[in-house]
């Protein structure tokens, strides 16, 4: 199983960018305000609804994505989210709703969702991105059983995320970050075409809040 270490790559590339060049093809801070401080990658614009950073990362077959995320601020208005586009066929270096042909795994908090298929409060979605301007909602999951954990103390903690995706079958396993051993998981299928998934890009994105990220659990 191949492990994506895209955040470590981004940190190295951003450091190079500050020191040498503002144009590195393997990394694109496409929208939002991205910066590195210490060993963490920050998205600092709480008002950015479509913040996105593209990372060149060839993907096929079984994949493992691991990182930790920490809430910084911005969801006081009752709305915020973040997620990953995976198996992307291309990158787009500017603001966009979708991200080429890819799949978006999304964690969402919205007290007044506009889409009736998205539960009020804490939820997760899988979208199929068909272009930079079109995404179709594949599945939506109510996660309000975890909403009591959204305390001020917990929000300041680094939350571990482990996600496996089998590009051959389309099976996704999202491991429960409240499980200290990261052994329990929910599973979904993002593609039922029986065509192996392949892609060269990952896009990390946020919506309406400041977050920071780091490689590892």
């Amino acid at each position: 199983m191949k492990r994506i270490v895209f955040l470590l790559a981004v940190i190295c590339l951003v450091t190079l960018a500050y020191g040498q060049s503002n144009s590195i093809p393997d990394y694109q801070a496409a929208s939002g305000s991205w910066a590195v401080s210490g060993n963490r990658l920050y998205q600092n614009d709480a008002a950015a609804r479509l913040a996105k950073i593209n990372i060149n990362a060839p993907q096929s077959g079984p994949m493992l994505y691991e990182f930790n995320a920490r809430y910084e601020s911005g969801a006081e208005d009752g709305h915020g989210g973040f997620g990953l586009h995976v198996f992307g066929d291309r990158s787009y270096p500017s603001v966009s709703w979708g991200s080429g042909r890819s799949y978006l795994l999304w964690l969402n908090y919205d007290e007044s969702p506009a889409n009736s298929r998205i539960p009020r409060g804490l939820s997760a979605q899988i979208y199929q991105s068909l272009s930079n301007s079109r995404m179709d909602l594949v599945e939506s999951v109510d996660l309000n059983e975890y909403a009591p954990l959204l305390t001020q103390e917990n929000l300041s903690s680094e939350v571990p995320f482990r996600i496996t995706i089998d590009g051959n079958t389309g099976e996704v396993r999202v491991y429960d970050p409240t499980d200290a051993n990261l052994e329990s998981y929910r599973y979904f299928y993002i593609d039922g075409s029986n065509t192996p998934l392949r892609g060269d890009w990952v896009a990390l994105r946020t919506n309406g809040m400041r977050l920071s990220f780091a490689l590892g659990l």
Side-chain angles (χ1 to χ4, degrees), residues 1-2 10 14 19 24 54 61 72 74 77 82-83 105 116 136 148 155 176 181 188 194 198 205 207:
M1 180 176 291
K2 288 168 283 187
V10 166
V14 171
I24 297 179
N54 300 315
E72 303 294 340
D77 61 354
F82 78 96
L105 310 180
S116 62
D136 291 345
L155 285 173
D176 184 348
N181 297 316
F188 316 90
N194 296 320
R198 296 180 181 274
R205 64 190 310 161
N207 182 352

Side-chain angles (χ1 to χ4, degrees), residues 12-29:
C12 293
L13 289 169
V14 171
T15 302
L16 288 172
Y18 284 143
Q20 298 178 17
S21 169
N22 291 323
S23 177
I24 297 179
D26 288 336
Y27 141 74
Q28 301 167 346

